[in-house]
Amino acid sequence: MGAPGPQVDDHMAVDVALSVLIGARVHHLLLRDEDGRCTGLVTRAQLAAHRGGTWYGDRTRLRDIPLDRGPFTASVSTLGEAEDAMRVRTLDVSPVIDEHGYALGVLTLVP
């Protein structure tokens, strides 16, 4: 498990989130709600794809685009359970959350 990395509010504009990703030199951002709980994960590829859509506007928020919103990996899950769940959902990355929904880290599948 790696560090959770940058976390941003889910009401952030897509353009701003893409700038954060580029500036932080990371491939994903964790989204959080107003209480700091993990609500999703978005990748650079997802943001770039939505930014190029004909429906896109500069006021489009992260919470308005389709992205991975869970279920996330529970901190009490075994590594095998987490890996199986990620493979079934075809995820390369999954947030690990505690019993209250706060991000503790991120699991990444290695091919």
Side-chain angles (χ1 to χ4, degrees):
M1 179 172 74
Q7 299 180 44
V8 297
D9 293 331
D10 60 4
H11 66 274
M12 179 179 278
V14 169
D15 281 348
V16 175
L18 192 55
S19 293
V20 170
L21 271 170
I22 292 167
R25 296 184 177 154
V26 295
H27 297 286
H28 67 269
L29 292 173
L30 293 184
L31 307 183
R32 63 179 181 222
D33 64 14
E34 60 277 352
D35 296 322
R37 290 181 177 88
C38 186
T39 61
L41 181 138
V42 66
T43 66
R44 186 181 298 197
Q46 288 172 313
L47 291 179
H50 288 288
R51 188 174 179 220
T54 55
W55 60 270
Y56 176 78
D58 62 354
R59 302 185 118 196
T60 302
R61 305 288 177 213
L62 291 172
R63 65 175 167 232
D64 299 330
I65 66 173
L67 48 89
D68 182 34
R69 297 194 188 276
F72 304 121
T73 304
S75 60
V76 295
S77 299
T78 67
L79 190 53
E81 291 169 338
E83 182 179 2
D84 290 345
M86 289 172 70
R87 291 194 191 283
V88 166
R89 293 180 57 214
T90 64
L91 298 174
D92 295 331
V93 179
S94 179
V96 177
I97 58 169
D98 67 12
E99 64 273 8
H100 303 290
Y102 296 101
L104 301 173
V106 176
L107 285 179
T108 304
L109 283 181
V110 179

